[in-house]
Structure formats: structure tokens, C-alpha cells
Amino acid sequence: MSFTAMSYRAIGAAALVAASLFARPAAAEIKISNYTLANGLELVVIPDRRAPVVTHMIWYKVGSADETAGKSGLAHFLEHLMFKGTAAHPTGQFSKIVATIGGQENAFTSDDYTGYFQRVPTEQLKQMMELEADRMTGLQLTDAVVLPERDVILEEWNQRIGNNPRAKLGEQIDAALFLNHPYGRPVIGWRHEMEGLTRDDALAFYRRFYGPNGAVVVIAGDVEPEQARKFAEETYGKVKRNDMIVAPRVRPKEPPPLAVRSLTLADARVEQPLMQRSYMVPSFANAERGESEALEVLAHILGSGSNSRLYRTLAVDKPVAVSAGAGYDSSALDMSKFTIYGSPRPGITLQQFEVEADNVIAELILKGITADELERAKARLIADAVYAQDNQATMARWYGGALMTGASVQDVQKWPERIRAVTAAEVQDVARKWLEKKRSVTGYLIKDTSPPAEKKS
């Protein structure tokens, strides 16, 4: 339905922080129930009894990084097609039911997972589970519904990528950063490959990856855990496991980075030049103990807000920039990214801005961080986690995303104490180890001032 912010790799600091699962976990005192049904489906229940509503999410362990080469965009295409109906519930009926009861629904695709969710009155929870269990294996597709939907995703590409120079830059950086791993292709797909996606492609992908043993259901809201489990047994529990699903997922590995890489994208629509650099770094799933948390703190100190090192030095003290920031995405099944970015002031070139940004990083690596910086960063990260508990859907996203990318319920619950344990030396160490230029791709976004090409008569 919707190619949301979760659906593709973020570009700015705000998006990177939002996408970073472990930067916003639920507090440990919330009692989370975790079950596994006989057919392999995992169920997580997060009680929240402040209102008689529930958020019901089903997450499938398949994303764009699991697509067959040459079929990019297939995971997102199937996400759209999942709303096209089954024999029991023809096209449009699912959404009509949700709308009739005053609920909300949507879906999202990422590199590592695909998700569908509804927010409905508590008494409608079992009905949502019945509907999702039905389309888990009962999807029916014809060319009459598939081909028009392919046009929909192509138009979505136009809106989100084709008409967005910054998104294009992000795609180019990812493609250059990941030389061998499928994270190098866009979640929405390369347009020329999207144009060739077919009904048979979608059905083959669906039959290979969708099934109870490849799914996690997360329910946050006004429901008793045992009642939710009973509903799950009566609905999802009746779906036969899919023997085609293979675990764990194994993707191609990246070769050791050997060269500093850079690229420039020129577009006539650019009004503000931009430098963006992404370093390949470990995610929570594959980092050594404590490294991911230290990278979280480093990103906050280096580039989160007006008191960060990059913004304060480049936009206030110098000043050579109108914006500057950094972010780290810890939630990935494989390697992830640490990104810095910024725009120079008029009269300052992107090359000059890059040199100044590199100086900020070099000073942090050489001299480390202050005790005050460390404590402020940790306090802010943990405080944000506490404040964010007010959003039921956010809690469901935390836990679902964690289980999709190699973490556990306990990992999310213990995140605040792991952040409290980060030391100044650990932050300096991860900066020195991972913020190496040869591990990165630097992109310049500039305005294309060349005259438009003349059309042939």
C-alpha cells in the first residue's frame, strides 16, 4: 500500500535515527509475552491498556535483499499485491472491513522484512488475525489486477525517486558502497527491472517466502497475552508451515574495502548543494559486544541536533555550513551504515565543506569525547526511549523490527542499560575503527547548469 519511510534507506539524520531500531526501545518494565506456535509462527504481545484499541502487525522475514537478481522491486510489488484479495475475501473487502470499524491499515517494505498492520478496536482483533491468516497463503492474482498495480509502483518510483534528486543520490551511494551485497540495490527497485515484473514473478516470490514459519505477529494494546495467544492458535495456527522457507537467511558477503570512493550527481532541480557520506559499519546483529551501542552514542555526539560536533563546529563556530549532521542505522540483518551529511554556505564549495567535516571527525578520533558529551548523549537517548512509549504502534514496530533483524525481545528491553554502559573510550574506539575513508562512499549533489538537450524533430 504505502512505500513508507521504513521502506528505503534513510538519507538525513532524522530519518536515520527513526530507522534505527535500538535507538528507541520500550522500557524494560513493560511485561512482554513471547510465544511460538507449532507451525513456527512467533507471537509477541505488548500490553497497553490505556485505550480499548490494539495495533496488530504481521512481519514477514523477506525484503528486497532476498530478491532474485534481475527482479529488483519484487518484495515491494508483492506488498501492494497482497491487498488484491483471496477467494474468501475478494479485492477490497479487507480494507472495507477495516474502514467500516473505524480502523487504520497500511504496509511497508525494507531490505530485510515486509510488514502489514491494522489499528482497530480491541474486539476486532481476532477478525484482523483471521483476515491476515487467510491472505498468508490464499492470495489470488490475475493479470487484470497485477499489471495496473505495476503501473502504480512505477508512478511511486517517479514520485519518490525519479523526482527526488536527494533520493537518487542515496541510491547511487548505496550502489557504490555495497559492491556485492544486495543492500546495494534500492528497496523500491531499479525502474528498468520493475517494468518487467510479472504475475508469475510475484506468485513465485509469495510461495517461496510467505508462511507462518517465516512470520512474526506483534500485538500492542488492550489485550491479555493468553487471549491473544488463543486467537492466534485459532487463526494463524491453522495455516500449514511453508517448507520452502529456509533459515537462517544467507546473503553474499562484502569483500574487504580497498578504495576511497566518491561520486557526483548533477540535477537541474537542485537548489542546495549537499555532501553525503556513508561508511559501512556493523549493525546490532553482527557487531562485537558493545560496538553498536557505542556507534549510537557516537552518531548522537557527532551529528544529532544543534549541540552536535558537526553542527556546532561547521554551522556556528566557523561557519561554513547551513546544515550538518550524522546518523547510524543499527537495525539490519547484515552490515549497515553510518552517515554524515551537510550543505555548505554560499561561497563555500562542497570540497571545502568535506575537508572541514573530516577535520571534525579526525579531532574526535584523536582527542576523544568529553565526559559531559557522553553523559548528555546517553541521557538524551534513554529519555527519548521513555517518552516514545506513548505510541502503541511505535512499540509494535520496535519489537517486530528487532525480531526481523537478528535481535530478541530481551535485546530491546535491555537496550537502555547497554547504552548506560558505553564509555568514552569505546566511542573513540569505534570512531577510529569504522570511520575510515576507504570504508565509505562520498556523494556530492550539485545543480546541473548545462543547457537542456535539443529535441530531435
Side-chain angles (χ1 to χ4, degrees):
M1 293 285 283
S2 174
F3 192 58
T4 67
M6 292 185 66
S7 302
Y8 61 100
R9 301 177 194 100
I11 296 167
L16 281 165
V17 172
S20 183
L21 176 67
F22 301 102
R24 302 290 185 268
E29 63 266 20
I30 297 176
K31 183 172 175 57
I32 311 298
S33 297
N34 195 187
Y35 311 101
T36 301
L37 306 190
N39 60 6
L41 182 132
E42 189 170 359
L43 173 67
V44 176
V45 185
I46 309 165
D48 179 10
R49 298 183 176 86
R50 291 171 295 177
V53 297
V54 292
T55 296
H56 169 251
M57 286 187 168
I58 181 164
W59 303 67
Y60 289 97
K61 298 177 183 178
V62 58
S64 61
D66 301 294
E67 295 162 347
T68 302
K71 301 289 183 181
S72 64
L74 190 50
H76 174 238
F77 187 32
L78 179 58
E79 176 215 308
H80 278 241
L81 295 173
M82 284 289 284
F83 291 84
K84 296 307 177 183
T86 66
H89 301 96
T91 302
Q93 190 178 105
F94 192 145
S95 296
K96 184 177 180 180
I97 291 171
V98 174
T100 299
I101 61 178
Q104 301 169 333
E105 66 167 344
N106 217 320
F108 47 86
T109 307
S110 84
D111 300 284
D112 296 313
Y113 50 79
T114 308
Y116 307 84
F117 67 92
Q118 305 85 36
R119 191 166 189 263
V120 297
T122 300
E123 63 269 19
Q124 303 297 333
L125 173 61
K126 186 177 181 181
Q127 185 179 27
M128 296 302 105
M129 298 169 94
E130 290 172 342
L131 291 167
E132 286 289 11
D134 176 44
R135 71 175 175 181
M136 179 179 281
T137 57
L139 182 64
Q140 294 189 338
L141 297 177
T142 64
D143 282 344
V145 298
V146 170
L147 300 183
E149 201 62 35
R150 187 175 64 189
D151 292 336
V152 171
I153 64 167
L154 289 170
E155 179 55 30
E156 192 171 345
W157 182 91
N158 288 338
Q159 294 175 2
R160 296 188 177 273
I161 308 297
N163 296 321
N164 187 335
R166 193 166 180 179
K168 284 184 176 180
L169 179 70
E171 280 192 347
Q172 295 299 307
I173 290 173
D174 286 345
L177 184 66
F178 294 99
L179 300 174
N180 193 46
H181 193 282
Y183 285 170
R185 60 179 177 241
V187 173
I188 196 169
W190 298 115
R191 184 181 176 93
H192 68 284
E193 294 183 347
M194 295 166 65
E195 290 171 345
L197 296 177
T198 67
R199 169 185 174 274
D200 289 345
D201 292 333
L203 284 174
F205 195 75
Y206 173 67
R207 290 165 182 160
R208 179 182 174 189
F209 290 108
Y210 278 55
N213 48 314
V216 175
V217 172
V218 182
I219 299 168
D222 185 26
V223 63
E224 292 295 332
E226 283 301 323
Q227 183 68 66
R229 182 180 185 176
K230 179 175 181 293
F231 288 162
E233 293 281 10
E234 294 170 350
T235 55
Y236 293 114
K238 295 179 179 179
V239 182
K240 184 180 178 181
R241 52 184 298 125
N242 182 354
D243 292 334
M244 294 181 69
I245 294 174
V246 177
R249 288 181 281 174
V250 179
R251 280 89 169 258
K253 303 298 183 185
E254 278 295 305
L258 301 176
V260 177
R261 287 153 285 171
S262 62
L263 57 90
T264 299
L265 175 65
D267 192 295
R269 293 164 294 189
V270 172
E271 296 300 329
Q272 179 67 60
L274 172 77
M275 188 213 84
Q276 181 178 319
R277 178 189 297 154
S278 289
Y279 299 86
M280 189 181 301
V281 300
S283 65
F284 176 82
N286 54 33
E288 293 182 9
R289 184 177 179 84
E291 276 193 335
S292 178
E293 295 81 4
L295 284 165
E296 294 275 15
V297 176
L298 172 62
H300 191 90
I301 291 171
L302 191 60
S304 180
S306 59
N307 287 322
S308 67
R309 287 273 187 110
L310 283 169
Y311 187 87
R312 193 176 65 247
T313 303
L314 305 184
V316 178
D317 295 344
K318 293 285 184 178
V320 296
V322 295
S323 65
Y328 164 60
D329 184 359
S330 64
S331 58
L333 195 60
D334 298 310
M335 293 296 283
S336 191
K337 297 184 301 183
F338 189 106
T339 296
I340 66 169
Y341 66 93
S343 292
R345 288 181 179 271
I348 304 295
T349 67
L350 285 169
Q351 290 83 354
Q352 289 172 313
F353 173 86
E354 183 181 358
V355 169
E356 295 291 351
D358 282 337
N359 289 340
V360 173
I361 294 171
E363 182 178 20
L364 188 150
I365 290 172
L366 178 65
K367 298 181 180 179
I369 61 173
T370 68
D372 182 58
E373 283 180 315
L374 178 67
E375 292 311 311
R376 279 193 290 113
K378 293 196 292 188
R380 179 58 186 269
L381 287 168
I382 294 169
D384 285 350
V386 174
Y387 300 147
Q389 290 177 63
D390 197 46
N391 190 308
Q392 186 184 96
T394 299
M395 288 194 290
R397 284 182 182 267
W398 291 331
Y399 285 92
L403 293 167
M404 292 295 103
T405 54
S408 67
V409 167
Q410 291 71 31
D411 289 328
V412 180
Q413 291 177 306
K414 292 181 179 180
W415 183 89
E417 61 188 74
R418 296 200 309 273
I419 287 293
R420 290 188 188 99
V422 173
T423 68
E426 289 172 333
V427 174
Q428 187 178 13
D429 287 345
V430 294
R432 182 184 300 111
K433 179 178 180 180
W434 295 109
L435 300 192
E436 282 190 290
K437 288 286 286 289
K438 70 179 181 180
R439 300 194 61 84
S440 73
V441 175
T442 302
Y444 286 179
L445 182 62
I446 64 173
K447 188 175 185 66
D448 186 355
T449 58
S450 59
E454 292 184 9
K455 292 183 180 180
K456 294 181 180 180
S457 58

